[in-house]
Amino acid sequence: MNVKRKKLYEGKAKILYEGPEPGTIIQYFKDDATAFNAQKKATLEGKGVINNQISEFIMSKLNGIGVTNHFIKRLNLREQLIRECEIIPLEVVCRNVVAGSMSQRLGIEEGTPLPRSIIEFYYKKDELNDPMVTEEHITAFNWASTQELDDILAMTVRVNDYLSGLFAGVGITLVDFKIEFGRIWENDYSRIILADEISPDSCRLWDTATGNKLDKDRFRRDLGDVIESYTEVARRLGIMKGMPTVIQGGLH
Ligand code: UDP
């Protein structure tokens, strides 16, 4: 008898299914792309396959340097096995160069390097358009404890240092990125781990030599060549050799 697996959650770009063992989840990467709080939508054929592999590559590297995260293993082209965790309702953004909402909010030209990296927090609430919050809001409303916030900040700095170097090595500037964290329980103790995904959907990646955008801004700003740019990121990182041909053939 075939038993249909249980869908736990469907988001804008991913679906979560119950995993094969307790404490595990299957994360499925869709081809759907959304921007501006889902006001703009499209299906970009092959995006899920590329992001699954870029995120696998980055999360595995981060696990290797001791930034504990939810990634266990990739299962197939679109799915990976992850650890179940309680998601902290925050989007943690780290910036090295002014871009996007920071440029608009503060009237500072996009591309201006920051004198030091800046970390911002946004409350994950689509109905409210993910408002920016401070550490005081986070602890006052018990979204995370002071200790957990310390861990989140320290891990974000490590992710930024590592990824900035990784991308610089392949001629890409890590302008900014968004990460999410979760809480896992071991007996009576909880611990913070990195969760979600790290891909061109959640980072701004500029070709260092030309300034060309290789990330989701190509979709947000109708610049075209979205899949080609994501594939270029994967190619430079040394993953998915020959991907363009596969994409042309169609991916399901
Ligand atoms: N970001 C994201 N999901 C969001 C909002 C932002 O992955 O819901 C990423 C975005 O791709 C960029 C960084 O976080 O790498 C900073 O985004 P910003 O605040 O500039 O917002 P945006 O201009 O994307 O609205």
Side-chain angles (χ1 to χ4, degrees):
M1 186 180 73
N2 289 334
V3 180
K4 195 162 186 275
R5 61 184 175 176
K6 192 169 159 200
K7 192 192 275 190
L8 301 174
Y9 170 82
E10 177 153 8
K12 289 171 237 165
K14 294 188 293 287
I15 306 173
L16 300 181
Y17 295 100
E18 201 169 63
E21 284 149 37
T24 64
I25 285 181
I26 294 168
Q27 178 165 249
Y28 176 99
F29 287 74
K30 300 197 281 187
D31 283 344
D32 296 351
T34 63
F36 313 117
N37 204 6
Q39 287 171 49
K40 177 172 178 161
K41 287 185 195 168
T43 302
L44 303 168
E45 198 176 334
K47 179 176 80 81
V49 174
I50 304 174
N51 282 354
N52 185 20
Q53 304 198 39
I54 293 178
S55 202
E56 169 196 15
F57 178 84
I58 292 176
M59 290 294 190
S60 307
K61 294 270 189 200
L62 290 172
N63 258 329
I65 61 155
V67 178
T68 315
N69 61 68
H70 73 168
F71 180 80
I72 302 171
K73 66 173 178 181
R74 186 164 64 79
L75 298 171
N76 54 51
L77 279 179
R78 290 190 181 274
E79 295 177 330
Q80 48 183 245
L81 189 66
I82 58 170
R83 285 177 77 167
E84 185 177 21
C85 60
E86 287 173 24
I87 287 288
I88 309 274
L90 295 174
E91 300 207 333
V92 182
V93 168
C94 180
R95 303 178 185 273
N96 301 306
V97 176
V98 176
S101 71
M102 175 182 247
S103 165
Q104 286 182 354
R105 204 177 52 250
L106 304 180
I108 303 172
E109 198 185 343
E110 202 165 60
T112 310
L114 289 165
R116 61 180 180 82
S117 306
I118 291 179
I119 296 175
E120 300 169 342
F121 300 102
Y122 295 85
Y123 178 43
K124 262 169 76 82
K125 200 78 175 164
D126 282 343
E127 308 91 277
L128 301 175
N129 245 325
D130 297 347
M132 190 193 271
V133 294
T134 68
E135 295 185 31
E136 302 225 26
H137 298 105
I138 296 167
T139 50
F141 300 122
N142 290 317
W143 297 327
S145 68
T146 310
Q147 176 59 50
E148 287 175 332
L149 255 182
D150 283 350
D151 291 347
I152 287 172
L153 282 166
M155 288 168 82
T156 304
V157 169
R158 290 201 68 200
V159 171
N160 187 41
D161 288 347
Y162 181 78
L163 289 189
S164 294
L166 179 78
F167 283 117
V170 296
I172 292 174
T173 304
L174 178 64
V175 169
D176 58 30
F177 63 89
K178 183 270 299 182
I179 46 179
E180 296 184 25
F181 292 89
R183 188 182 287 122
I184 50 167
W185 290 91
E186 280 156 4
N187 302 317
D188 286 344
Y189 295 91
S190 71
R191 186 150 76 101
I192 291 292
I193 62 169
L194 178 64
D196 194 47
E197 70 174 289
I198 300 182
S199 74
D201 268 2
S202 57
C203 301
R204 281 199 172 90
L205 303 167
W206 293 357
D207 181 277
T208 311
T210 63
N212 280 346
K213 297 181 193 337
L214 301 171
D215 55 64
K216 196 168 155 186
D217 274 344
R218 298 209 73 86
F219 168 68
R220 292 190 192 97
R221 303 181 188 187
D222 294 321
L223 299 174
D225 291 340
V226 185
I227 291 298
E228 290 77 1
S229 303
Y230 283 36
T231 307
E232 176 63 11
V233 172
R235 192 192 63 76
R236 290 207 201 169
L237 291 174
I239 39 185
M240 300 169 62
K241 294 183 182 69
M243 193 62 206
T245 352
V246 182
I247 285 172
Q248 280 157 25
L251 286 163
H252 305 284

